[in-house]
Amino acid sequence: MERVVQFTGPRQVEVAEHESAPLPAGHLRVRTRYSGISAGTELTAYRGTNPYLTRTWDAEARIFRDGAAGIEYPVAGWGYSEVGEVTEVSPELVGTPGMPVAGDLVWGIWGHRSEGIVPAERMVGHTLPAGLEPLAGAFARVGAIAYNAILAADIHLGEDVAVFGQGVIGLLTTRLAQLNGARVTAVDALDGRLATAREYGARHTLNARTGTVAESIRAATGGAGADVAIEISGVYPALHEAVRSVTVGGRVVASGFYQGDGAGLRLGDEFHHNRVQLICSQIGGVPPQLAGRWTVERLQQTFLSLVAEGQVDVKSLVSHVVPVAEAADAYVLLDKTPADALQVVLEF
């Protein structure tokens, strides 16, 4: 039997059971060990705010269209941070160069389910690096999201960079920005996360609740403002404060998943008067100027290499490992008391 986590309605979670499907040609079967919960994207489906629940994404025209929902409840198998063991390989694939074999530990995306049937081409190069513990594989995608924001930020050695939001992806962004040579100011509304940000390389930390973040960043940079701000929380007032924090002609990388209308974002203020560059970073692709050299696959693989080399610590970000049978409790924790959690991982 296969177990699948699904949302049956807003804030309603169940673990359903289905018969395991036969393995089709060109696929691998993977038995899941761990699956990381995204406290951003996944909670939009859990809470019922995801745009796909009310509109349809037209992939050809690349716009959302009103009138019909792209997805409906029950929403099954969400999740994009899985790691597991290959248990079956379609026979015609055996011996293919780079193809995982039975017994290999692999990372990838197959959702919160006890086993994944995954197209083989998506798993080439996805064997976990030697010496890396399985739990770390659940960070490949979230690490790539942070890495993508760093590439979009175009950071130069010695620049002042403000990172807004110090959840899991924000903390990884702080660490990668510091590795990239930035002087990082970390911003969050939770003091506990700011303490972790200092461990991850932030030179300065600011609590967003003070209401003077932009003023403090400008004061610390001789009145100029940060060279770059990366907004990773997905909260419009934070994006507005990021815009207020950068220098004239500075860059703001919007990497959060913003929901609904932009309440709190006033583009006629500092954005207009300081000619701020506003750049979107989204894991569907890399910055256009780097597309000849970088891919999303390279982002994920390079991030895991940094973890394996000891450059980035992910283990300490795991606050809870929850048996899949208790998945509903994991979502309540992230939804109601986010200060008590960082990375929550489902264990199968």
Side-chain angles (χ1 to χ4, degrees), residues 135-152:
L135 193 59
F139 284 85
R141 191 70 167 182
V142 292
I145 293 169
Y147 208 144
N148 210 27
I150 294 296
L151 293 185

Side-chain angles (χ1 to χ4, degrees), residues 10-12 21 38 65 67 101 116 129 146 149 158 202 224 228 231 244 248 276 328:
R11 292 184 167 87
Q12 298 174 30
S38 160
R65 298 191 185 278
V101 300
V228 179
E231 205 300 297
R244 297 186 70 228
V248 173
V276 173

Side-chain angles (χ1 to χ4, degrees), residues 144-285:
I145 293 169
Y147 208 144
N148 210 27
I150 294 296
L151 293 185
D154 191 25
I155 298 167
H156 300 270
L157 181 66
E159 288 188 328
D160 291 293
V161 176
V163 179
F164 287 75
Q166 295 297 304
V168 172
I169 298 176
L171 288 165
L172 293 175
T173 303
T174 290
R175 174 58 178 159
L176 292 173
Q178 189 253 341
L179 285 175
N180 211 52
R183 295 184 293 239
V184 181
T185 296
V187 183
D188 200 277
L190 300 174
D191 286 332
R193 292 188 178 183
L194 293 175
T196 306
R198 288 189 285 274
E199 297 173 5
Y200 272 68
R203 183 174 295 194
H204 306 290
T205 58
L206 294 169
N207 191 305
R209 296 187 187 280
T210 64
T212 58
V213 168
E215 291 82 355
S216 297
I217 290 174
R218 289 184 176 280
T221 54
D227 297 285
V228 179
I230 301 172
E231 205 300 297
I232 209 98
S233 72
V235 177
Y236 286 113
L239 181 59
H240 183 68
E241 199 68 9
V243 169
R244 297 186 70 228
S245 299
V246 296
T247 189
V248 173
R251 173 171 291 197
V252 174
V253 176
S255 191
F257 188 18
Y258 305 93
Q259 302 297 297
D261 295 336
L265 180 62
R266 302 188 301 276
L267 296 182
D269 293 3
E270 290 83 5
F271 173 76
H272 180 78
H273 289 80
N274 289 332
R275 303 182 301 284
V276 173
Q277 303 174 54
L278 183 58
I279 307 294
C280 176
S281 175
Q282 196 269 346
I283 196 57

